[in-house]
Coordinates of all heavy atoms in Angstrom, one line a residue:
H13 N 24.4 -3.4 117.9 CA 24.1 -4.1 119.1 C 25.3 -4.4 119.9 O 26.3 -4.8 119.4 CB 23.3 -5.3 118.8 CG 22.0 -5.1 118.3 ND1 21.0 -4.5 119.0 CD2 21.4 -5.4 117.1 CE1 19.9 -4.5 118.3 NE2 20.1 -5.0 117.1
G14 N 25.3 -4.2 121.2 CA 26.4 -4.6 122.1 C 27.6 -3.8 122.0 O 28.6 -4.2 122.5
G15 N 27.7 -2.7 121.2 CA 28.8 -1.9 121.1 C 30.0 -2.5 120.3 O 31.1 -2.1 120.4
A16 N 29.7 -3.5 119.5 CA 30.8 -4.1 118.7 C 31.2 -3.2 117.6 O 30.4 -2.6 116.9 CB 30.3 -5.5 118.1
S17 N 32.5 -3.1 117.4 CA 33.1 -2.4 116.3 C 33.8 -3.3 115.3 O 34.3 -2.8 114.3 CB 34.0 -1.3 116.8 OG 35.1 -1.9 117.4
R18 N 33.9 -4.6 115.7 CA 34.7 -5.5 114.8 C 34.0 -6.9 114.9 O 33.6 -7.3 116.0 CB 36.1 -5.6 115.3 CG 36.9 -6.7 114.6 CD 38.3 -6.9 115.3 NE 38.2 -7.4 116.6 CZ 37.9 -8.7 117.0 NH1 37.7 -9.6 116.0 NH2 37.9 -9.0 118.2
V19 N 33.9 -7.6 113.8 CA 33.5 -9.0 113.8 C 34.5 -9.7 113.0 O 34.8 -9.4 111.8 CB 32.1 -9.1 113.2 CG1 31.7 -10.6 113.0 CG2 31.0 -8.4 114.0
E20 N 35.0 -10.8 113.6 CA 36.0 -11.6 112.9 C 35.4 -12.9 112.5 O 34.7 -13.6 113.3 CB 37.2 -11.9 113.8 CG 38.3 -12.8 113.2 CD 39.5 -13.0 114.1 OE1 39.6 -12.2 115.1 OE2 40.2 -13.9 113.9
V21 N 35.5 -13.4 111.3 CA 35.0 -14.6 110.8 C 36.1 -15.5 110.4 O 37.0 -15.1 109.7 CB 34.0 -14.4 109.6 CG1 33.5 -15.7 109.1 CG2 32.9 -13.4 109.9
V22 N 36.1 -16.8 110.9 CA 37.1 -17.7 110.6 C 36.4 -19.0 110.2 O 35.5 -19.5 110.8 CB 38.0 -18.0 111.9 CG1 39.0 -19.1 111.6 CG2 38.7 -16.8 112.4
V23 N 36.9 -19.6 109.1 CA 36.4 -20.8 108.5 C 37.5 -21.9 108.5 O 38.6 -21.6 108.2 CB 35.9 -20.6 107.0 CG1 35.4 -21.9 106.5 CG2 34.9 -19.5 107.0
G24 N 37.2 -23.1 109.0 CA 38.1 -24.1 109.0 C 37.5 -25.5 109.1 O 36.3 -25.6 109.1
R25 N 38.3 -26.5 109.2 CA 37.8 -27.9 109.3 C 37.9 -28.3 110.7 O 38.8 -28.0 111.4 CB 38.6 -28.8 108.4 CG 38.4 -28.6 107.0 CD 38.9 -29.9 106.2 NE 38.5 -29.8 104.8 CZ 37.4 -30.2 104.3 NH1 36.4 -30.7 105.1 NH2 37.1 -30.0 103.0
L26 N 36.9 -29.1 111.2 CA 36.9 -29.7 112.5 C 36.5 -31.1 112.3 O 35.3 -31.5 112.3 CB 35.9 -28.9 113.4 CG 35.8 -29.4 114.8 CD1 37.2 -29.1 115.5 CD2 34.7 -28.6 115.6
G27 N 37.5 -32.0 112.0 CA 37.2 -33.4 111.7 C 36.5 -33.4 110.4 O 36.9 -32.8 109.4
P28 N 35.4 -34.1 110.4 CA 34.6 -34.3 109.1 C 33.6 -33.1 108.9 O 32.8 -33.1 108.0 CB 33.8 -35.6 109.3 CG 33.6 -35.6 110.8 CD 34.9 -35.0 111.4
A29 N 33.8 -32.1 109.7 CA 32.8 -30.9 109.6 C 33.6 -29.7 109.2 O 34.8 -29.5 109.3 CB 32.2 -30.7 111.0
V30 N 32.8 -28.7 108.7 CA 33.3 -27.4 108.4 C 32.8 -26.5 109.6 O 31.7 -26.5 110.0 CB 32.7 -26.8 107.1 CG1 33.1 -25.4 106.9 CG2 33.2 -27.7 106.0
A31 N 33.8 -25.7 110.2 CA 33.5 -24.9 111.3 C 33.6 -23.4 110.8 O 34.6 -23.0 110.2 CB 34.4 -25.1 112.5
V32 N 32.6 -22.6 111.2 CA 32.6 -21.2 111.0 C 32.4 -20.5 112.3 O 31.4 -20.7 113.0 CB 31.5 -20.7 110.0 CG1 31.7 -19.2 109.7 CG2 31.6 -21.5 108.7
S33 N 33.4 -19.6 112.7 CA 33.2 -18.9 114.0 C 33.1 -17.4 113.7 O 33.8 -16.9 112.8 CB 34.4 -19.2 114.9 OG 35.6 -18.7 114.5
F34 N 32.3 -16.8 114.5 CA 32.1 -15.3 114.4 C 32.4 -14.8 115.8 O 31.7 -15.2 116.8 CB 30.6 -15.0 114.0 CG 30.1 -15.7 112.8 CD1 29.6 -17.0 112.8 CD2 30.2 -15.0 111.6 CE1 29.2 -17.6 111.6 CE2 29.7 -15.6 110.4 CZ 29.2 -16.9 110.4
D35 N 33.4 -13.9 115.9 CA 33.7 -13.3 117.1 C 33.6 -11.8 117.0 O 34.0 -11.2 116.0 CB 35.2 -13.6 117.5 CG 35.4 -15.0 118.0 OD1 35.2 -15.2 119.1 OD2 35.8 -15.8 117.1
D36 N 32.9 -11.2 118.0 CA 32.9 -9.7 118.0 C 33.6 -9.2 119.2 O 33.9 -9.9 120.1 CB 31.4 -9.2 117.9 CG 30.6 -9.4 119.1 OD1 31.1 -9.4 120.3 OD2 29.4 -9.5 119.0
N37 N 33.8 -7.9 119.3 CA 34.5 -7.2 120.4 C 33.5 -6.3 121.1 O 33.9 -5.4 121.7 CB 35.7 -6.4 119.9 CG 35.3 -5.3 119.0 OD1 34.2 -5.2 118.5 ND2 36.2 -4.3 118.9
G38 N 32.2 -6.7 121.2 CA 31.2 -5.9 121.9 C 31.3 -6.1 123.4 O 32.3 -6.6 123.9
L39 N 30.2 -5.8 124.0 CA 30.1 -5.9 125.4 C 30.0 -7.3 126.0 O 30.2 -7.4 127.2 CB 28.8 -5.1 125.9 CG 28.8 -3.6 125.5 CD1 27.5 -2.9 125.9 CD2 30.0 -2.9 126.1
G40 N 29.7 -8.2 125.2 CA 29.7 -9.6 125.7 C 28.3 -9.9 126.2 O 27.3 -9.2 126.0
A41 N 28.2 -11.1 126.9 CA 26.9 -11.5 127.4 C 27.2 -12.1 128.8 O 28.2 -12.8 129.0 CB 26.3 -12.5 126.5
S42 N 26.3 -11.9 129.7 CA 26.4 -12.5 131.0 C 26.2 -14.1 130.9 O 25.7 -14.6 130.0 CB 25.4 -11.9 132.0 OG 24.1 -12.4 131.6
A43 N 26.6 -14.8 132.0 CA 26.4 -16.2 132.0 C 24.9 -16.5 132.0 O 24.5 -17.5 131.3 CB 27.0 -16.8 133.3
K44 N 24.1 -15.7 132.6 CA 22.7 -15.9 132.6 C 22.1 -15.8 131.1 O 21.3 -16.6 130.7 CB 22.0 -14.9 133.4 CG 20.5 -15.0 133.5 CD 19.9 -14.0 134.4 CE 18.4 -14.1 134.4 NZ 17.7 -13.1 135.3
V45 N 22.6 -14.8 130.4 CA 22.1 -14.7 129.0 C 22.6 -15.8 128.1 O 21.9 -16.4 127.3 CB 22.6 -13.3 128.4 CG1 22.4 -13.2 126.9 CG2 21.9 -12.2 129.1
L46 N 23.9 -16.2 128.3 CA 24.4 -17.4 127.6 C 23.6 -18.6 127.8 O 23.4 -19.4 126.9 CB 25.9 -17.6 127.9 CG 26.8 -16.5 127.3 CD1 28.3 -16.7 127.8 CD2 26.8 -16.4 125.8
R47 N 23.2 -18.9 129.1 CA 22.4 -20.0 129.4 C 21.1 -19.9 128.7 O 20.6 -20.9 128.2 CB 22.2 -20.2 130.9 CG 23.4 -20.8 131.6 CD 23.0 -21.2 133.1 NE 22.5 -20.0 133.9 CZ 23.3 -19.2 134.5 NH1 24.6 -19.3 134.5 NH2 22.8 -18.2 135.2
A48 N 20.5 -18.7 128.7 CA 19.2 -18.5 128.0 C 19.3 -18.8 126.5 O 18.5 -19.4 125.9 CB 18.7 -17.1 128.3
L49 N 20.4 -18.3 125.9 CA 20.7 -18.5 124.5 C 20.8 -20.0 124.1 O 20.5 -20.4 123.0 CB 21.9 -17.8 124.0 CG 21.8 -16.2 124.0 CD1 23.2 -15.6 123.7 CD2 20.8 -15.8 123.0
A50 N 21.3 -20.8 125.1 CA 21.4 -22.2 124.8 C 20.1 -22.9 124.7 O 20.0 -24.0 124.1 CB 22.3 -22.8 125.9
A51 N 19.0 -22.3 125.3 CA 17.7 -23.0 125.2 C 17.2 -22.9 123.7 O 17.3 -21.9 123.0 CB 16.7 -22.2 126.1
A52 N 16.7 -24.1 123.3 CA 16.3 -24.2 121.9 C 15.3 -23.2 121.4 O 15.2 -22.9 120.3 CB 15.9 -25.6 121.6
D53 N 14.4 -22.8 122.4 CA 13.3 -21.9 122.0 C 13.4 -20.5 122.5 O 12.5 -19.8 122.6 CB 12.0 -22.5 122.4 CG 11.9 -22.7 124.0 OD1 13.0 -22.5 124.6 OD2 10.8 -23.0 124.5
W54 N 14.6 -20.1 122.9 CA 14.8 -18.8 123.5 C 14.5 -17.6 122.5 O 14.9 -17.7 121.3 CB 16.3 -18.6 124.0 CG 16.5 -17.3 124.6 CD1 16.2 -16.9 125.8 CD2 17.1 -16.1 123.9 NE1 16.6 -15.6 126.0 CE2 17.1 -15.1 124.9 CE3 17.5 -15.9 122.6 CZ2 17.6 -13.8 124.6 CZ3 18.0 -14.6 122.3 CH2 18.0 -13.6 123.3
R55 N 13.8 -16.6 123.0 CA 13.6 -15.4 122.2 C 13.7 -14.2 123.2 O 13.2 -14.4 124.3 CB 12.2 -15.4 121.6 CG 12.1 -16.3 120.4 CD 10.7 -16.4 119.8 NE 10.3 -15.1 119.3 CZ 9.1 -14.8 118.9 NH1 8.2 -15.7 119.0 NH2 8.8 -13.6 118.5
P56 N 14.2 -13.1 122.8 CA 14.3 -12.0 123.7 C 12.9 -11.4 124.0 O 12.0 -11.5 123.2 CB 15.1 -10.9 123.0 CG 15.0 -11.3 121.5 CD 14.8 -12.8 121.5
A57 N 12.7 -10.9 125.2 CA 11.4 -10.4 125.6 C 11.1 -9.1 124.9 O 10.0 -8.9 124.4 CB 11.4 -10.2 127.1
A58 N 12.1 -8.2 124.8 CA 11.9 -6.9 124.1 C 12.9 -6.8 123.0 O 14.1 -7.0 123.2 CB 12.1 -5.8 125.1
T59 N 12.4 -6.6 121.8 CA 13.3 -6.5 120.6 C 12.7 -5.6 119.6 O 11.5 -5.5 119.5 CB 13.6 -7.9 120.1 OG1 14.5 -7.7 119.0 CG2 12.4 -8.6 119.7
S60 N 13.5 -5.1 118.7 CA 13.0 -4.3 117.6 C 12.6 -5.1 116.5 O 11.9 -4.7 115.6 CB 14.0 -3.2 117.2 OG 15.2 -3.9 116.8
G61 N 13.0 -6.4 116.5 CA 12.7 -7.3 115.4 C 11.8 -8.4 116.0 O 11.1 -8.3 117.0
T62 N 11.7 -9.5 115.3 CA 10.9 -10.6 115.7 C 11.6 -11.5 116.8 O 10.9 -12.3 117.5 CB 10.5 -11.5 114.6 OG1 11.6 -12.1 114.0 CG2 9.7 -10.7 113.5
G63 N 12.9 -11.4 116.9 CA 13.6 -12.3 117.8 C 13.7 -13.7 117.3 O 14.1 -14.6 118.1
L64 N 13.5 -14.0 116.1 CA 13.5 -15.3 115.6 C 14.8 -15.8 114.9 O 15.0 -16.9 114.5 CB 12.3 -15.5 114.6 CG 11.0 -15.5 115.2 CD1 9.9 -15.5 114.1 CD2 10.7 -16.6 116.1
G65 N 15.7 -14.8 114.7 CA 17.0 -15.1 114.0 C 17.7 -16.3 114.5 O 18.1 -17.2 113.7
L66 N 18.0 -16.4 115.8 CA 18.8 -17.4 116.4 C 18.0 -18.7 116.4 O 18.5 -19.8 116.1 CB 19.2 -17.1 117.8 CG 20.1 -18.1 118.5 CD1 21.4 -18.3 117.7 CD2 20.5 -17.6 119.9
L67 N 16.7 -18.7 116.6 CA 15.8 -19.8 116.6 C 15.8 -20.5 115.2 O 16.0 -21.7 115.1 CB 14.4 -19.5 117.1 CG 13.4 -20.6 117.1 CD1 13.7 -21.7 118.1 CD2 12.0 -20.0 117.4
I68 N 15.6 -19.7 114.2 CA 15.5 -20.2 112.8 C 16.9 -20.7 112.5 O 17.0 -21.8 111.8 CB 15.1 -19.1 111.9 CG1 13.6 -18.8 112.1 CG2 15.3 -19.5 110.4 CD1 13.1 -17.5 111.4
S69 N 18.0 -20.0 112.8 CA 19.3 -20.5 112.5 C 19.6 -21.9 113.1 O 20.1 -22.8 112.5 CB 20.4 -19.5 113.0 OG 20.2 -18.3 112.3
R70 N 19.2 -22.0 114.4 CA 19.4 -23.3 115.1 C 18.6 -24.4 114.4 O 19.1 -25.5 114.2 CB 19.0 -23.2 116.5 CG 19.9 -22.5 117.4 CD 19.5 -22.7 118.9 NE 20.2 -21.8 119.8 CZ 21.4 -22.0 120.3 NH1 22.0 -23.1 120.0 NH2 21.9 -21.1 121.1
R71 N 17.4 -24.2 114.0 CA 16.6 -25.2 113.3 C 17.2 -25.6 112.0 O 17.2 -26.7 111.6 CB 15.2 -24.7 113.2 CG 14.5 -24.7 114.6 CD 13.0 -24.4 114.5 NE 12.4 -24.4 115.8 CZ 11.2 -24.0 116.1 NH1 10.4 -23.5 115.1 NH2 10.7 -24.0 117.3
L72 N 17.6 -24.6 111.2 CA 18.2 -24.9 109.9 C 19.5 -25.7 110.0 O 19.7 -26.7 109.3 CB 18.5 -23.6 109.1 CG 17.3 -22.8 108.6 CD1 17.7 -21.5 108.0 CD2 16.6 -23.6 107.5
V73 N 20.3 -25.3 111.0 CA 21.6 -26.0 111.2 C 21.3 -27.5 111.7 O 21.9 -28.4 111.3 CB 22.4 -25.3 112.3 CG1 23.6 -26.1 112.7 CG2 22.9 -24.0 111.6
A74 N 20.3 -27.6 112.6 CA 19.9 -29.0 113.0 C 19.4 -29.9 111.9 O 19.7 -31.0 111.8 CB 18.8 -28.9 114.1
R75 N 18.7 -29.3 110.9 CA 18.2 -30.0 109.8 C 19.4 -30.5 108.9 O 19.3 -31.5 108.2 CB 17.3 -29.2 108.9 CG 15.9 -29.1 109.5 CD 15.0 -28.4 108.5 NE 13.7 -28.2 109.1 CZ 12.7 -27.7 108.5 NH1 12.8 -27.3 107.2 NH2 11.5 -27.6 109.1
M76 N 20.5 -29.8 109.0 CA 21.7 -30.2 108.2 C 22.6 -31.0 109.1 O 23.7 -31.3 108.7 CB 22.4 -28.9 107.7 CG 21.6 -28.2 106.7 SD 22.5 -26.7 106.0 CE 22.0 -25.5 107.2
Q77 N 22.1 -31.4 110.2 CA 22.9 -32.3 111.2 C 24.1 -31.6 111.7 O 25.2 -32.2 111.9 CB 23.1 -33.7 110.6 CG 21.9 -34.4 110.2 CD 22.1 -35.7 109.5 OE1 23.2 -36.0 109.1 NE2 21.0 -36.4 109.4
G78 N 24.0 -30.3 111.9 CA 25.1 -29.5 112.4 C 24.8 -29.0 113.8 O 23.9 -29.4 114.5
S79 N 25.6 -28.1 114.3 CA 25.4 -27.5 115.6 C 25.7 -26.0 115.5 O 26.5 -25.5 114.7 CB 26.3 -28.2 116.6 OG 27.6 -28.0 116.4
L80 N 25.2 -25.3 116.5 CA 25.4 -23.8 116.6 C 25.6 -23.6 118.1 O 24.7 -23.9 118.9 CB 24.2 -23.1 116.1 CG 24.4 -21.6 115.9 CD1 23.6 -21.1 114.8 CD2 24.1 -20.8 117.2
Q81 N 26.7 -23.0 118.5 CA 27.0 -22.6 119.9 C 27.2 -21.2 120.1 O 27.9 -20.6 119.2 CB 28.1 -23.4 120.5 CG 28.0 -24.9 120.5 CD 28.5 -25.6 119.3 OE1 29.5 -25.1 118.7 NE2 28.0 -26.7 118.9
V82 N 26.8 -20.6 121.2 CA 27.1 -19.2 121.5 C 27.9 -19.2 122.9 O 27.5 -19.9 123.8 CB 25.8 -18.4 121.7 CG1 26.1 -17.0 122.0 CG2 24.9 -18.5 120.4
S83 N 29.0 -18.5 122.9 CA 29.8 -18.5 124.1 C 30.5 -17.1 124.2 O 30.3 -16.2 123.4 CB 30.8 -19.6 124.1 OG 31.7 -19.4 123.0
H84 N 31.3 -17.0 125.3 CA 32.1 -15.8 125.5 C 33.2 -15.8 124.4 O 33.7 -16.8 124.1 CB 32.8 -15.7 126.8 CG 31.8 -15.6 128.0 ND1 31.2 -14.4 128.2 CD2 31.4 -16.4 128.9 CE1 30.4 -14.5 129.2 NE2 30.5 -15.7 129.7
G85 N 33.6 -14.6 123.9 CA 34.7 -14.5 123.0 C 36.0 -14.6 123.8 O 36.0 -14.8 125.0
D86 N 37.2 -14.5 123.1 CA 38.5 -14.7 123.8 C 38.7 -13.6 124.8 O 39.0 -13.9 126.0 CB 39.6 -14.7 122.8 CG 39.7 -16.0 122.0 OD1 39.2 -17.0 122.5 OD2 40.3 -16.0 120.9
A87 N 38.6 -12.4 124.4 CA 38.8 -11.2 125.4 C 37.5 -10.7 126.0 O 37.4 -10.6 127.2 CB 39.6 -10.1 124.7
R88 N 36.6 -10.4 125.1 CA 35.3 -10.0 125.5 C 34.4 -10.2 124.3 O 34.8 -10.6 123.2 CB 35.3 -8.5 126.0 CG 35.7 -7.5 125.0 CD 35.6 -6.1 125.5 NE 35.0 -5.2 124.5 CZ 34.8 -4.0 124.7 NH1 35.1 -3.4 125.9 NH2 34.3 -3.2 123.8
G89 N 33.2 -9.8 124.4 CA 32.3 -10.0 123.2 C 31.7 -11.4 123.2 O 31.7 -12.1 124.2
V90 N 31.1 -11.8 122.1 CA 30.4 -13.1 122.0 C 31.0 -13.8 120.8 O 31.5 -13.2 119.8 CB 28.9 -12.8 121.7 CG1 28.2 -14.1 121.4 CG2 28.3 -12.2 123.0
R91 N 31.1 -15.1 120.9 CA 31.5 -16.0 119.9 C 30.3 -16.9 119.5 O 29.7 -17.5 120.3 CB 32.7 -16.9 120.3 CG 33.0 -18.0 119.3 CD 34.2 -18.8 119.7 NE 35.4 -17.9 119.5 CZ 36.5 -18.0 120.2 NH1 36.6 -18.9 121.1 NH2 37.5 -17.2 120.0
V92 N 30.1 -17.0 118.2 CA 29.1 -18.0 117.7 C 29.8 -18.9 116.8 O 30.6 -18.5 115.9 CB 28.0 -17.2 116.9 CG1 27.0 -18.2 116.2 CG2 27.2 -16.2 117.7
V93 N 29.7 -20.2 117.0 CA 30.4 -21.2 116.2 C 29.3 -22.1 115.5 O 28.5 -22.7 116.2 CB 31.3 -22.1 117.1 CG1 32.0 -23.2 116.2 CG2 32.4 -21.2 117.7
L94 N 29.5 -22.2 114.3 CA 28.6 -23.0 113.4 C 29.4 -24.2 112.9 O 30.4 -24.0 112.3 CB 28.1 -22.1 112.3 CG 27.2 -22.7 111.2 CD1 25.9 -23.2 111.7 CD2 27.0 -21.7 110.1
N95 N 28.9 -25.4 113.2 CA 29.6 -26.6 112.7 C 28.6 -27.3 111.7 O 27.5 -27.6 112.1 CB 30.0 -27.6 113.8 CG 31.1 -27.0 114.7 OD1 32.1 -26.7 114.2 ND2 30.8 -26.8 115.9
L96 N 29.0 -27.6 110.5 CA 28.2 -28.3 109.5 C 29.0 -29.4 108.9 O 30.2 -29.3 108.7 CB 27.8 -27.3 108.4 CG 26.9 -26.2 108.8 CD1 26.7 -25.2 107.6 CD2 25.5 -26.7 109.2
P97 N 28.3 -30.6 108.8 CA 29.0 -31.7 108.1 C 29.4 -31.4 106.7 O 28.7 -30.6 106.0 CB 28.0 -32.8 108.2 CG 26.6 -32.2 108.4 CD 26.9 -30.9 109.0
E98 N 30.5 -31.9 106.3 CA 31.0 -31.7 104.9 C 30.0 -32.4 104.0 O 29.5 -33.4 104.2 CB 32.4 -32.3 104.8 CG 33.0 -32.1 103.4 CD 34.4 -32.6 103.3 OE1 34.8 -33.4 104.2 OE2 35.1 -32.3 102.4
A99 N 29.7 -31.7 102.9 CA 28.8 -32.2 101.9 C 29.3 -33.5 101.3 O 30.5 -33.6 101.0 CB 28.5 -31.2 100.8
A100 N 28.4 -34.5 101.1 CA 28.8 -35.8 100.5 C 29.1 -35.7 99.1 O 28.6 -34.9 98.4 CB 27.8 -36.8 100.8

Protein backbone atom coordinates (compact mmCIF):
# COMPACT_ATOMS: atom_id res chain seq x y z
CA HIS A 1 0.00 0.00 0.00
CA GLY A 2 1.16 3.54 -0.70
CA GLY A 3 4.36 2.49 -2.44
CA ALA A 4 6.35 2.02 0.77
CA SER A 5 9.56 0.04 0.44
CA ARG A 6 10.75 0.65 4.01
CA VAL A 7 9.18 0.71 7.47
CA GLU A 8 11.24 1.90 10.41
CA VAL A 9 10.18 0.94 13.94
CA VAL A 10 11.56 2.82 16.96
CA VAL A 11 10.80 1.97 20.59
CA GLY A 12 11.58 4.32 23.46
CA ARG A 13 10.33 5.95 26.64
CA LEU A 14 8.21 9.07 26.71
CA GLY A 15 7.95 9.99 30.39
CA PRO A 16 6.02 7.24 32.16
CA ALA A 17 4.95 5.73 28.83
CA VAL A 18 6.47 3.47 26.23
CA ALA A 19 6.39 4.92 22.72
CA VAL A 20 6.53 2.89 19.53
CA SER A 21 6.72 4.74 16.22
CA PHE A 22 6.29 3.29 12.76
CA ASP A 23 7.54 5.38 9.81
CA ASP A 24 7.27 4.37 6.18
CA ASN A 25 8.64 5.96 3.04
CA GLY A 26 5.49 5.57 0.98
CA LEU A 27 3.43 8.18 -0.80
CA GLY A 28 2.16 9.72 2.41
CA ALA A 29 -1.32 11.03 3.11
CA SER A 30 -2.99 14.33 2.38
CA ALA A 31 -4.09 16.64 5.18
CA LYS A 32 -7.69 15.66 4.41
CA VAL A 33 -6.90 11.94 4.85
CA LEU A 34 -4.96 12.62 8.08
CA ARG A 35 -7.96 14.54 9.47
CA ALA A 36 -10.24 11.62 8.55
CA LEU A 37 -7.86 9.15 10.20
CA ALA A 38 -8.07 11.19 13.41
CA ALA A 39 -11.82 10.50 13.63
CA ALA A 40 -12.45 7.71 16.13
CA ASP A 41 -14.81 5.82 13.82
CA TRP A 42 -13.10 6.37 10.44
CA ARG A 43 -13.16 3.52 7.94
CA PRO A 44 -12.19 3.67 4.26
CA ALA A 45 -15.06 3.64 1.78
CA ALA A 46 -13.43 1.15 -0.58
CA THR A 47 -11.04 -1.46 0.67
CA SER A 48 -10.03 -5.03 0.02
CA GLY A 49 -10.34 -5.78 3.75
CA THR A 50 -12.85 -4.81 6.39
CA GLY A 51 -11.22 -1.45 7.13
CA LEU A 52 -11.38 -2.16 10.86
CA GLY A 53 -7.66 -2.41 11.66
CA LEU A 54 -7.13 1.19 12.76
CA LEU A 55 -10.49 1.34 14.55
CA ILE A 56 -9.78 -1.85 16.53
CA SER A 57 -6.22 -0.69 17.27
CA ARG A 58 -7.46 2.66 18.62
CA ARG A 59 -10.02 0.94 20.86
CA LEU A 60 -7.46 -1.54 22.25
CA VAL A 61 -4.96 1.23 22.93
CA ALA A 62 -7.68 3.34 24.62
CA ARG A 63 -8.56 0.41 26.89
CA MET A 64 -4.92 0.35 27.97
CA GLN A 65 -5.11 4.12 28.60
CA GLY A 66 -2.73 4.86 25.76
CA SER A 67 -2.91 6.83 22.54
CA LEU A 68 -2.39 6.27 18.82
CA GLN A 69 -1.62 9.11 16.40
CA VAL A 70 -1.19 9.16 12.64
CA SER A 71 0.77 12.00 10.99
CA HIS A 72 3.17 12.86 8.18
CA GLY A 73 6.56 11.19 8.34
CA ASP A 74 9.78 13.23 8.42
CA ALA A 75 10.46 13.32 4.69
CA ARG A 76 7.37 11.68 3.24
CA GLY A 77 5.21 8.73 4.06
CA VAL A 78 3.17 8.23 7.20
CA ARG A 79 4.10 8.00 10.88
CA VAL A 80 2.03 6.07 13.40
CA VAL A 81 2.93 6.59 17.06
CA LEU A 82 1.63 4.30 19.76
CA ASN A 83 2.00 5.44 23.38
CA LEU A 84 1.22 2.98 26.17
CA PRO A 85 1.59 3.44 29.92
CA GLU A 86 4.36 1.42 31.50
CA ALA A 87 3.01 -1.75 33.17
CA ALA A 88 2.67 -1.43 36.93
